[in-house]
Amino acid sequence: MGHENITEFILLGLFNDEDAKVTCFVVFSLCYIVILSGNLFILLTIRGSHLREQPMYFFLSYLSFMDVCFTSTVAPRLITDLLAEQNTISYDSCLAQMFYAHFFGATEMFILVAMAYDRYAAICRPLHYMVIMNRQVCYVLLMASILGAFLHSILQVFIIIELPFCGPNQIDHYFCDIFPLLKLACTDTSLLVLAVITTTGMISVVTFIALVISYIIILSTLRTRSSQSCRKALSTCSSHITVVFLFFLPLIFTYVPTADSVSNDKVFALFYTMFAPMFNPFIYTLRNTDMKNAMRKMWCRDTRFEGK
């Protein structure tokens, strides 16, 4: 069918209040700077230190990279559109934005699963850990995450490509996503909405439940360990659990209910597109002794030499 005579969409953004737009422009610009600098800081610290040899930090470096990519598909347009008169986006750019947002977001979701598996192997199967999580396994899990995310994202694009768009062309969101686009199609999309809820929504719910159960198993195993190793494992797991809740709960609220709650979707989407990627660097560094030591060694090296 194709998109018929619609060649561009108008993004309505978060709200219409002009004063709030200026405030949000400043706030979101600062958030984006924190996301870029914080995640790149973690990425460079891991890649430049001995931590890159450990599977957990191997995945964390890619998680930070995905955070940067994921937010960069949404944040620059969100920020510039806050000061623009009319926020138009071409049909092709809209589909591209939707594809990349879903691709990087889903890759992140699957990497979080790989990280949970890594923690399970480290804590519940310590004697076999180096065999279970060798470098080859890490790359296989990473490639599986990327492939799974690609298949999920391309499916969203195929759904939209087949729909006719003949007007109106106003998307009630600040970026192109599947539910707001389905609402604009000139045909009955109730079955497609149901399909998206059962695929994207259920993937989010099932993955979240699986992650929570895996961490419950991990934490119950820790009760038999010495207090020192228990403390270290607890601080690592609590960081992971915090990130999982920050990322998954807004995602579930967005994709599990019906598409009629788009105005709420915009608020929930802010949590997983802006706030979770911003807090992730702090969550993973503040309670992580290995990361703090690696940062101290890597970033304080120059000043130490200068003082000699």
Side-chain angles (χ1 to χ4, degrees):
M1 271 196 240
H3 56 96
E4 295 192 3
N5 60 343
I6 292 274
T7 56
E8 63 179 21
F9 295 104
I10 297 167
L11 291 164
L12 295 182
L14 279 169
F15 37 67
N16 296 317
D17 187 340
E18 292 302 319
D19 294 333
K21 280 184 178 182
V22 176
T23 308
C24 284
F25 173 81
V26 175
V27 171
F28 292 146
S29 296
L30 291 172
C31 287
Y32 188 47
I33 291 165
V34 171
I35 290 164
L36 291 181
S37 52
N39 283 292
L40 289 173
F41 185 66
I42 282 190
L43 183 62
L44 292 171
T45 300
I46 293 170
R47 291 300 166 91
S49 70
H50 66 284
L51 292 179
R52 67 181 181 276
E53 305 299 329
Q54 298 180 36
M56 185 179 97
Y57 297 102
F58 169 85
F59 290 122
L60 180 54
S61 68
Y62 280 100
L63 186 73
S64 293
F65 179 62
M66 288 303 149
D67 267 339
V68 169
C69 295
F70 181 43
T71 307
S72 295
T73 61
V74 176
R77 177 168 278 277
L78 165 63
I79 292 162
T80 52
D81 283 358
L82 284 165
L83 299 185
E85 285 295 313
Q86 196 175 39
N87 312 323
T88 57
I89 183 169
S90 71
Y91 177 86
D92 291 339
S93 299
C94 189
L95 285 188
Q97 189 184 45
M98 185 182 72
F99 171 81
Y100 287 118
H102 277 266
F103 175 68
F104 292 125
T107 306
E108 202 167 322
M109 193 165 82
F110 296 137
I111 287 174
L112 286 169
V113 174
M115 289 173 85
Y117 177 67
D118 169 68
R119 289 302 83 203
Y120 170 79
I123 292 162
C124 301
R125 306 284 300 279
L127 298 176
H128 304 100
Y129 177 64
M130 293 316 292
V131 178
I132 296 169
M133 291 303 294
N134 61 50
R135 188 43 58 109
Q136 194 177 355
V137 171
C138 290
Y139 278 116
V140 167
L141 288 171
L142 179 67
M143 292 313 294
S145 300
I146 292 168
L147 182 63
F150 176 79
L151 292 173
H152 160 76
S153 311
I154 206 74
L155 181 66
Q156 314 291 310
V157 174
F158 285 149
I159 288 171
I160 297 301
I161 279 176
E162 290 302 310
L163 295 175
F165 291 97
C166 47
N169 67 337
Q170 294 184 326
I171 298 174
D172 188 15
H173 213 300
Y174 60 88
F175 72 99
C176 289
D177 202 6
I178 191 150
F179 279 158
L181 282 169
L182 285 173
K183 289 188 82 174
L184 296 181
C186 305
T187 185
D188 179 27
T189 58
S190 50
L191 281 176
L192 287 173
V193 168
L194 201 62
V196 173
I197 291 169
T198 50
T199 53
T200 308
M202 284 306 106
I203 287 170
S204 306
V205 172
V206 170
T207 309
F208 177 68
I209 291 168
L211 285 169
V212 170
I213 291 169
S214 70
Y215 281 114
I216 289 169
I217 293 166
I218 290 165
L219 293 174
S220 63
T221 308
L222 285 175
R223 289 184 303 178
T224 59
R225 302 291 164 83
S226 67
S227 58
Q228 190 182 353
S229 64
C230 184
R231 253 198 314 274
K232 188 178 177 183
L234 260 177
S235 80
T236 307
C237 287
S238 62
S239 300
H240 288 209
I241 293 163
T242 309
V243 169
V244 164
F245 273 86
L246 258 179
F247 185 76
F248 275 92
L249 288 183
L251 202 64
I252 289 166
F253 282 123
T254 303
Y255 290 103
V256 174
T258 60
D260 296 326
S261 57
V262 170
S263 56
N264 290 331
D265 288 354
K266 288 193 280 190
V267 179
F268 291 134
L270 272 180
F271 279 92
Y272 62 82
T273 56
M274 292 292 285
F275 299 138
M278 183 174 67
F279 287 117
N280 285 1
F282 299 106
I283 293 165
Y284 279 117
T285 53
L286 291 178
R287 296 192 61 190
N288 191 314
T289 314
D290 291 338
M291 272 299 291
K292 282 193 276 194
N293 289 339
M295 285 190 291
R296 216 173 281 124
K297 275 182 188 172
M298 188 169 171
W299 301 105
C300 301
R301 197 185 299 152
D302 299 334
T303 51
R304 193 169 68 246
F305 287 138
E306 279 167 21
K308 283 189 177 181

